[in-house]
Amino acid sequence: MRRLLAILLENEAGALSRVIGLFAQRNYNIETLNVAPTEDETLSRVTLSTTGDENRIEQITKHLNRLIEVVKVVDLTEGDHLERELMLIKVRAVGEMREEIKRCCDIFRGQVIDVTNDAYTIQLTGTSEKLDAFIRALGEAAVLEVVRSGVSGIGRADKILSL
Amino acid sequence: MTERLSGGEMLIRALQDEGVEYVFGYPGGAVLHIYDAIFKQQRIEHVLVRHEQAATHMADGYARSTGKPGVVLVTSGPGATNAVTGIATAYMDSTPIVVISGQVANEFIGSDAFQETDMVGVSRPVVKHSYLVRSAAEIPRIVKEAFYIACSGRPGPVVIDVPKDTTDPNVFFDYEYPESVSLRSYSPSTRGHSGQIKKAAKALLAAKRPVIYAGGGVIQGDAASELTRLATRLGFPVTNTLMGLGGFPGDTEQFLGMLGMHGTFEANMAMHHTDLIFAVGARFDDRVTNDPAKFAPDATIVHLDVDPASISKIINADIPIVGPAATVLAEIDRVVEAKMAADPDALDQRALADWWRRIRGWRREHGLDHDQRHRKGSNGSLLPQQVVQSVYRATKGQAFVTSDVGQHQMFAAQYYKFDAPRRWINSGGLGTMGFGLPAAMGVQFAHPDGVVACITGEGSFMMNMQELSTCMQYALPIKIINLNNQALGMVKQWQDMQYGGRHSHSTYRDALPDFKALTESFGHVSYRIDQLDELDDAMADVFGAKHKDDLVFVDAHIDPEEHVYPMAIKGGAMNAMVLERVDGRDDIRDDL
Ligand SMILES: Cc1ncc(C[n+]2csc(CCOP(=O)(O)OP(=O)(O)O)c2C)c(N)n1
Ligand SMILES: [Mg+2]
């Protein structure tokens, strides 16, 4: 089962390497990883997606909590939550394909953020499934380069992860 | 008035303020400023070792035998990497040590400078926490935090990597040692959940075939007397893990002995047939459970541990309790006491008596033989069990016993009956050969008047025997009992059992030193024993007044054919054991 963990971490050198090291050391996998400082700059927030059954997620959570620099861990998938991923994608766009791609981009509510004679760079946000669907819609042949941020997640409504 | 101190001086001063008595260390370029600060003070004694691995084991032995943190100081690069085995050993057995490693100056970090190793990176998987000092001003806070983290909650090793520039003797700072630690992300639990405690008490009282399974957490958590009080009140059988020996008096009838891979027949049978396991500070290690899928089919599991990550990791707990063993056991005992006072039938005494009858039956059938003076080894040779029993008699069961890894370790654990905590000191989790001698040294430093015996094997002893020189320097009167079977006995046993007796690289009979001459060359006393009828007299001498101040090395030539039993059968439940020597089985556990 896919799980999305939100982790508040001391914003210190080496803290992230302990989190990643833990996953490697205990043979847990990381599917996506996203990290940046929060509004409180002494804290970083990590969103990490992984897979595993309930026992495994419980172990991961417990081991994360054992790390001194981990302040809080929440399994967002346990409750209502929102998740988004940002993708920058460069696609070949020549001749009549240019219109076609533009239309597809509009349907997915993407934005063309850079243009050359034979390529578009498109920015798209949404769930990971939406981004996957967009890539499929464009067709593999058109895709030149893909950058994805990894998932960011937040609890819905008044669920707040803070100190 | 605050003092003005250099970084190196602040580091040593902070150790003094922590109450550190000994630092086990070895100098080198990156720590010279720190060594100069050591030279200029008297409060801390620095012990010069002969190898950094030994320094970590000494600190570890000191910590295990006292509950106080052990401290290590090593230089950068090879000094630091030599310390890693000892750090991993402490990590696996959750012992509090603080390792200070030198590092190249901050400005050279990352440049592959001479003797530069990323110590924080190298040690990361085997530390509870680690620090890289970025500026000297951080030193007092970091030392304070390091000791707090090492000793609190589930203890463990902490590394402080100290770049040389932060100890510069010409740059001074206002020194003030923090009074307390504030770490928003670390707050180990200080008491158990009262609802869970009530549930646990209820489950204990309802049990008909209970077992208390207590591990190293009882020792580390200073909970032996609380455990003993509760277990005695209930009259339940108690078994200890290899790490837990001494957590319950080993010389009582109520004690089933060690459980697990080389555990006693009655302990393993009781674990298999029980209807309630009360696990205290134990982690259902694979050396204990055998196949987890077949483990204790009828048991309700009550699991108390200070580390939530240990609970339901291998075996699912029905009643988990997170908290320090001593306080939680005392609270459970209060509840149990009240219930038993209110209702004389609170405990099913008849069921319990039946259960004890079965356990005594198992003990009678296949229990350990606690006086083997009637046995003879092959060709009339001395048996390792006889030697351990003789040490037990000569020390009246009151010694600190350290051990290494192998057959000798299992014989020591099986036949030396520990009746107090912090007396049995061995590397259970990592299984580090070479641990025994330096650990014994750390114990002897902590207990100058204590009797310290290191029961070792010649293979393990040779992994850190350079420390005989350190023993000479500090006049440590350790007694080393070398169970010499002229082989890597435990490896050879497995080869006898499952590899058709092909002893691939497990013997070196013609290449062993004359241990007597060797140890005497370091100024120590040495005995060589190979006869049963001289054994008790020799041990009486070794542990008697005559050698009170000597390091004595006993080279006991024992039967090389002897195997350790019982032994768990691979993939079985806990009741699956081999009880005597059988060669050519392929179902013995092969994960040495
Ligand atoms: C550092 C290290 N290397 C290898 C092993 C694997 N090992 C476990 S027991 C053993 C043999 C130990 O020989 P000895 O110390 O003579 O003890 P004996 O079994 O003969 O009593 C070995 C090699 C280990 N535990 N530690
Ligand atoms: Mg041997």
Side-chain angles (χ1 to χ4, degrees):
Chain A
M1 210 183 350
R2 175 178 171 279
R3 297 296 186 123
L4 199 62
L5 302 181
I7 305 164
L8 279 183
L9 197 63
E10 296 287 355
N11 186 8
E12 278 167 15
L16 185 63
S17 72
R18 284 184 220 274
V19 171
I20 293 166
L22 173 74
F23 276 75
Q25 185 188 338
R26 300 214 175 248
N27 207 9
Y28 306 143
N29 74 325
I30 298 179
E31 294 213 320
T32 72
L33 177 74
N34 171 289
V35 55
T38 65
E39 78 289 359
D40 171 353
E41 63 189 37
T42 66
L43 286 174
S44 292
R45 176 150 170 162
V46 175
T47 311
L48 187 156
S49 64
T50 181
T51 49
D53 60 14
E54 214 162 295
N55 274 344
R56 197 167 179 87
I57 299 301
E58 191 181 323
Q59 279 301 313
I60 292 177
T61 310
K62 283 173 172 177
H63 279 114
L64 282 169
N65 273 314
R66 225 159 75 147
L67 296 177
I68 307 293
E69 284 145 332
V70 166
V71 185
K72 267 192 186 162
V73 183
V74 167
D75 179 356
L76 291 172
T77 22
E78 269 186 350
D80 265 358
H81 69 284
L82 297 163
E83 38 182 284
R84 291 291 181 271
E85 196 177 349
L86 168 71
M87 173 165 72
L88 303 178
I89 179 167
K90 198 173 283 181
V91 289
R92 182 187 315 282
V94 284
E96 59 220 50
M97 270 175 73
R98 285 179 88 84
E99 259 317 294
E100 177 79 30
I101 288 170
K102 188 74 190 33
R103 240 188 337 267
C104 186
C105 177
D106 289 341
I107 293 169
F108 279 84
R109 296 179 195 282
Q111 282 171 287
V112 177
I113 55 172
D114 191 32
V115 182
T116 66
N117 280 342
D118 50 10
Y120 285 146
T121 301
I122 299 167
Q123 166 189 319
L124 185 65
T125 51
T127 62
S128 304
E129 295 75 49
K130 177 179 159 184
L131 305 191
D132 294 342
F134 183 60
I135 295 174
R136 275 196 307 274
L138 292 170
E140 237 171 70
V143 175
L144 298 172
E145 189 177 353
V146 175
V147 197
R148 295 170 69 148
S149 63
V151 182
S152 296
I154 194 163
R156 256 193 200 278
D158 48 8
K159 270 187 223 138
I160 288 168
L161 174 58
S162 63
L163 278 185
Chain B
M1 200 192 79
T2 53
E3 281 172 274
R4 301 281 292 168
L5 299 178
S6 72
E9 288 167 340
M10 288 201 293
L11 181 62
I12 296 307
R13 189 50 196 282
L15 296 182
Q16 291 176 347
D17 286 342
E18 273 301 323
V20 172
E21 302 172 280
Y22 293 103
V23 170
F24 303 95
Y26 205 77
V31 287
L32 283 179
H33 298 329
I34 303 173
Y35 270 84
D36 200 46
I38 290 178
F39 190 86
K40 292 178 184 156
Q41 58 87 55
Q42 265 88 46
R43 273 166 62 191
I44 294 176
E45 184 176 354
H46 176 275
V47 175
L48 179 65
V49 302
R50 300 297 180 269
H51 188 292
E52 291 88 349
Q53 180 191 349
T56 54
H57 295 329
M58 283 180 215
D60 194 342
Y62 175 92
R64 290 183 203 227
S65 69
T66 59
K68 294 191 281 185
V71 181
V72 176
L73 173 58
V74 296
T75 192
S76 65
T81 55
N82 272 352
V84 171
T85 300
I87 296 171
T89 303
Y91 180 73
M92 290 296 277
D93 290 342
S94 310
T95 61
I97 64 172
V98 173
V99 177
I100 299 163
S101 52
Q103 181 55 278
V104 301
N106 270 298
E107 62 175 312
F108 298 119
I109 290 178
S111 69
D112 294 327
F114 178 62
Q115 294 193 331
E116 180 188 356
T117 299
D118 172 12
M119 181 57 172
V120 166
V122 167
S123 63
R124 199 198 59 228
V126 293
V127 294
K128 184 169 174 189
H129 196 49
S130 50
Y131 292 90
L132 174 63
V133 178
R134 285 298 181 179
S135 78
E138 302 175 331
I139 288 174
R141 173 187 60 82
I142 287 178
V143 172
K144 181 78 189 177
E145 288 182 8
F147 277 82
Y148 174 66
I149 290 170
C151 299
S152 54
R154 179 178 182 167
V158 176
V159 164
I160 309 177
D161 202 28
V162 186
K164 190 166 182 181
D165 55 308
T166 66
T167 58
D168 188 335
N170 300 313
V171 187
F172 297 92
F173 300 82
D174 284 342
Y175 174 82
E176 203 173 336
Y177 198 59
E179 280 185 7
S180 61
V181 172
S182 79
L183 285 166
R184 59 183 171 184
S185 54
Y186 177 70
S187 51
S189 81
T190 51
R191 47 178 320 180
H193 187 279
S194 61
Q196 294 300 92
I197 286 169
K198 288 203 189 91
K199 269 196 218 163
K202 205 168 152 205
L204 288 171
L205 289 168
K208 302 200 182 308
R209 303 186 307 279
V211 180
I212 297 176
Y213 150 54
V218 171
I219 312 288
Q220 297 285 355
D222 287 318
S225 58
E226 286 80 359
L227 176 75
T228 306
R229 193 172 322 124
L230 175 63
T232 309
R233 187 184 308 289
L234 291 164
F236 287 3
V238 180
T239 177
N240 281 154
T241 66
L242 178 66
M243 297 312 299
L245 295 172
F248 185 82
D251 53 358
T252 55
E253 227 244 315
Q254 204 181 333
F255 183 59
L256 305 188
M258 179 172 77
L259 82 171
M261 189 160 175
H262 293 297
T264 64
F265 185 69
E266 62 267 37
N268 288 343
M269 292 300 276
M271 285 293 281
H272 184 70
H273 292 281
T274 181
D275 70 345
L276 177 121
I277 293 174
F278 182 25
V280 187
R283 58 191 176 94
F284 297 90
D285 183 86
D286 54 77
R287 304 272 116 164
V288 164
T289 59
N290 211 357
D291 185 347
K294 298 179 185 159
F295 178 74
D298 303 332
T300 297
I301 312 260
V302 182
H303 191 175
L304 162 58
D305 205 289
V306 72
D307 179 10
S310 285
I311 295 177
S312 298
K313 183 173 71 176
I314 313 281
I315 300 290
N316 196 51
D318 300 294
I319 306 177
I321 315 172
V322 177
T327 27
V328 175
L329 285 170
E331 286 185 56
I332 294 177
D333 187 51
R334 267 194 292 281
V335 180
V336 167
E337 184 182 19
K339 286 197 188 231
M340 285 173 71
D343 173 8
D345 298 326
L347 203 59
D348 188 342
Q349 297 289 0
R350 278 195 45 193
L352 202 55
D354 279 344
W355 178 228
W356 268 114
R357 222 164 288 134
R358 285 176 75 184
I359 291 173
R360 281 191 214 104
W362 289 321
R363 186 178 273 163
R364 225 174 306 117
E365 268 174 76
H366 298 297
L368 297 180
D369 176 355
H370 283 289
D371 187 354
Q372 305 207 1
R373 279 176 283 197
H374 59 90
R375 282 184 67 205
K376 275 258 172 256
S378 58
N379 305 320
S381 50
L382 193 58
L383 289 164
Q385 299 91 329
Q386 293 168 336
V387 180
V388 173
Q389 290 174 345
S390 180
V391 172
Y392 179 72
R393 285 191 295 270
T395 57
K396 301 180 182 67
Q398 297 304 303
F400 291 92
V401 178
T402 73
S403 194
D404 272 289
V405 182
Q407 293 180 315
H408 63 272
Q409 173 194 28
M410 291 301 132
F411 291 131
Q414 290 175 331
Y415 293 100
Y416 197 103
K417 293 180 265 182
F418 294 93
D419 59 7
R422 301 196 180 281
R423 295 274 181 77
W424 164 243
I425 285 156
N426 87 129
S427 164
L430 197 66
T432 310
M433 289 172 66
F435 176 81
L437 173 61
M441 295 164 68
V443 175
Q444 190 80 75
F445 275 112
H447 306 272
D449 300 320
V451 176
V452 183
C454 167
I455 299 182
T456 186
E458 79 300 321
S460 296
F461 175 71
M462 286 193 289
M463 282 210 176
N464 263 322
M465 64 180 173
Q466 76 284 347
E467 297 306 319
L468 287 174
S469 168
T470 313
C471 290
M472 181 182 184
Q473 184 171 352
Y474 296 91
L476 298 175
I478 294 163
K479 311 299 184 256
I480 300 169
I481 314 299
N482 188 38
L483 297 182
N484 190 345
N485 53 9
Q486 307 179 4
L488 302 174
M490 190 57 105
V491 172
K492 186 164 152 266
Q493 170 171 350
W494 291 52
Q495 291 170 337
D496 284 334
M497 292 192 300
Q498 335 172 29
Y499 296 94
R502 292 183 298 281
H503 296 157
S504 181
H505 300 277
S506 56
T507 60
Y508 36 42
R509 185 158 304 153
D510 302 326
L512 287 170
D514 174 345
F515 284 106
K516 190 166 184 309
L518 175 83
T519 44
E520 283 172 359
S521 77
F522 286 96
H524 304 310
V525 175
S526 194
Y527 283 65
R528 186 185 192 282
I529 309 179
D530 55 15
Q531 293 301 316
L532 178 59
D533 56 18
E534 60 186 12
L535 179 62
D536 277 355
D537 287 347
M539 286 303 172
D541 253 20
V542 169
F543 289 99
K546 180 169 154 192
H547 292 309
K548 192 175 163 294
D549 298 324
D550 300 326
L551 184 150
V552 185
F553 184 93
V554 179
D555 192 21
H557 280 249
I558 54 160
D559 185 357
E561 298 306 317
E562 189 66 2
H563 282 183
V564 183
Y565 294 105
M567 182 159 184
I569 296 176
K570 184 164 83 181
M574 282 196 74
N575 63 345
M577 285 168 270
V578 185
L579 298 170
E580 57 192 34
R581 179 156 181 170
V582 261
D583 294 353
R585 288 188 69 129
D586 58 3
D587 58 349
I588 309 294
R589 293 194 53 181
D590 57 359
D591 48 351
L592 181 64

